[in-house]
């Protein structure tokens, strides 16, 4: 099931995207979105009689974390190496504020404090229920679904500060979308799902989730052993190698097989 958050020009709504999808998870031209009676994280999936053609609505960030976005650093060995870092012995965590979240088609604003802003295409896990100390074998019980993320990073500020908060915390630095896919198992990503990033149409990242250092159940267990996770919290699972700068005017598309594509443009703040 593909759950989206959308607007027709009025208040945001939630809906289920129906129709055939291609190998990359992209819907067909005749796809529609059937409205739901509220946020499915809290009221369940209750279909209404209202539906719209997908091309007639504007998709929004499929989830607005009420609490936090938890990022995982250096979770692909090749990415750790390209930045001159060792592979960590346990997951490296950081937090992005929920005010950094934007949706598909929204601009990523280039802050004046930085001169080196990077894209980082990633798989994102959306938590579906309040949980703490989740064992790896129970991870699927607390996962609502999966979406695509761009963990935008001001790399020069990251080097200067020696930590991640400012570099990854600017407004618009966490695009999410286009929807949440609820019917995938973590084993799917352990076996390997292609993650690509395209900068102005050129492929700049092309990796596989099979190359994650720590798989999704391990990440859910690790994060929940430290902090309580709430419905709508998001875990970013790390980025493959190939990160690099993006500039004002650039278009960045992150695509994950089975999940679709997330596209944003860069604008000056």
């Amino acid at each position: 099931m593909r759950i989206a958050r959308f607007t027709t020009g009025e208040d945001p709504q939630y809906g289920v995207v129906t129709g055939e999808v291609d190998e990359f998870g992209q819907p067909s031209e005749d796809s529609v979105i059937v409205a739901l009676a509220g946020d499915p994280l809290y009221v369940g999936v209750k279909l209404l009689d209202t539906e719209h053609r997908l091309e007639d609505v504007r998709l929004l960030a499929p989830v607005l974390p009420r609490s936090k976005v938890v990022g995982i650093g250096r979770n692909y060995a090749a990415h750790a190496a390209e930045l001159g870092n060792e592979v960590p012995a346990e997951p490296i965590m950081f937090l992005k504020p929920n005010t950094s979240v934007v949706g598909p088609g929204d601009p990523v604003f280039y802050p004046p404090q930085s001169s080196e802003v990077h894209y980082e295409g990633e798989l994102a896990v959306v938590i579906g229920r309040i949980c703490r100390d989740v064992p790896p074998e129970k991870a699927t019980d607390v996962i609502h679904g999966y979406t695509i993320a761009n963990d935008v990073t001001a790399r020069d500020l990251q080097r200067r500060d020696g930590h991640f908060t400012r570099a990854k915390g600017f407004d618009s630095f966490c695009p999410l979308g286009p929807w949440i896919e609820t019917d995938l198992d973590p084993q799917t990503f352990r076996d390997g799902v292609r993650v690509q990033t395209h900068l102005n149409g050129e492929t700049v990242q092309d990796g596989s989730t099979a190359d994650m250092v720590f798989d999704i159940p391990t990440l859910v267990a690790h994060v929940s052993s430290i902090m309580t996770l709430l419905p709508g919290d998001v875990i970013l699972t790390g980025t493959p190698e190939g990160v690099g700068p993006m500039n004002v005017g650039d278009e960045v598309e992150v695509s994950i097989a089975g999940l679709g594509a997330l596209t944003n443009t860069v604008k000056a703040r």
Side-chain angles (χ1 to χ4, degrees), residues 154-165:
R155 195 70 68 197
D156 51 350
L157 302 184
Q158 184 182 22
R159 288 193 299 265
R160 186 185 311 165
D161 294 348
H163 57 77
F164 297 174
T165 302

Side-chain angles (χ1 to χ4, degrees), residues 73-88 92 155 158-159 164:
R74 305 171 193 167
N75 199 31
Y76 289 75
H79 168 60
E82 73 179 342
L83 296 182
N85 297 308
E86 299 290 333
V87 174
I92 294 175
R155 195 70 68 197
Q158 184 182 22
R159 288 193 299 265
F164 297 174

